[in-house]
Amino acid sequence: LIPSLTPPPPSPSKPKTGRKRINSVMLRSFENFSNSGALKKKILMTMAYTMEKSGLEDLDRTFSDIDVNNEGTISVQELRSAIKDKNMKYGDVEVDNLFKGLDYDHSGQIHYKEFLAAAMESQNMITAERLLETFDRMDEDNSGRISRENLRSMLGKDWDESAEEEMFQGKDGIDFDTFLKVVKEQATK
């Protein structure tokens, strides 16, 4: 059973300070996620869905601080405010483009899972153990490798033949070691 990853509820006993805790390292992680292809985003979203809730207090607090309207999502205006509050050199166009890249489901809002997937890198949460868990989830038929069919099933409407070829490089499936190489290569692009 996958734990629910919902945003932390606003605390009635603690009013929001309006302080947004985004920093340059997290912003760089957001940029990396935003500029990533469908494959890497799907891998990080899969990680976000399967993460344990414990140990996410700092990210919960950051999400809550950015979500000043207490809606459980981050709007483009809230992201813009969080970035500008830190005097980061981002114009409206750059924030809009970043937001579009973070909005994985194209809903017009950044949901907690999307925020978590984008912020994981800044928190050193992309570990070998989490990558193995993600690989196992993507290996839907438990064959010990991710097949082209597994990838198509996981990516759904985000499936892209070029992303598939980039991952498989002419092979029918990939094992965990190859998966790690693909993730590392995707992370440096």
Side-chain angles (χ1 to χ4, degrees), residues 159-168 186:
W159 175 82
D160 177 295
E161 187 173 351
S162 62
E164 181 177 312
E165 269 316 305
E166 186 174 342
M167 183 171 181
F168 288 94
Q186 286 270 321

Side-chain angles (χ1 to χ4, degrees), residues 1 50 52 71 78 92 111-113 122 154 173 177 189:
L1 191 62
T50 59
E52 293 292 323
E71 295 173 343
E78 290 168 325
D92 288 343
H111 297 271
Y112 184 67
K113 294 178 302 277
S122 71
M154 282 295 291
D177 290 336
K189 289 188 177 182

Side-chain angles (χ1 to χ4, degrees), residues 60-123:
D60 289 351
R61 193 172 22 262
T62 301
F63 184 90
S64 182
D65 287 348
I66 296 170
D67 176 24
V68 294
N69 295 331
N70 294 326
E71 295 173 343
T73 59
I74 297 172
S75 69
V76 69
Q77 295 83 4
E78 290 168 325
L79 181 63
R80 184 176 290 117
S81 175
I83 290 172
K84 289 188 177 185
D85 276 1
K86 290 295 185 180
N87 297 317
M88 295 178 186
K89 309 279 189 246
Y90 253 66
D92 288 343
V93 171
E94 290 86 3
V95 173
D96 289 346
N97 289 334
L98 179 67
F99 185 87
K100 286 176 189 171
L102 296 173
D103 182 17
Y104 183 78
D105 67 1
H106 310 292
S107 66
Q109 300 289 317
I110 298 172
H111 297 271
Y112 184 67
K113 294 178 302 277
E114 295 165 325
F115 170 82
L116 183 58
M120 283 191 295
E121 185 178 1
S122 71
Q123 305 296 306

Side-chain angles (χ1 to χ4, degrees), residues 98-148:
L98 179 67
F99 185 87
K100 286 176 189 171
L102 296 173
D103 182 17
Y104 183 78
D105 67 1
H106 310 292
S107 66
Q109 300 289 317
I110 298 172
H111 297 271
Y112 184 67
K113 294 178 302 277
E114 295 165 325
F115 170 82
L116 183 58
M120 283 191 295
E121 185 178 1
S122 71
Q123 305 296 306
N124 297 315
M125 299 173 114
I126 302 174
T127 63
E129 181 180 342
R130 287 198 176 108
L131 286 168
L132 179 58
E133 290 170 3
T134 303
F135 177 86
D136 287 344
R137 286 195 51 84
M138 293 179 78
D139 174 18
E140 294 176 340
D141 57 5
N142 297 315
S143 65
R145 64 189 193 113
I146 299 172
S147 67
R148 290 177 182 270

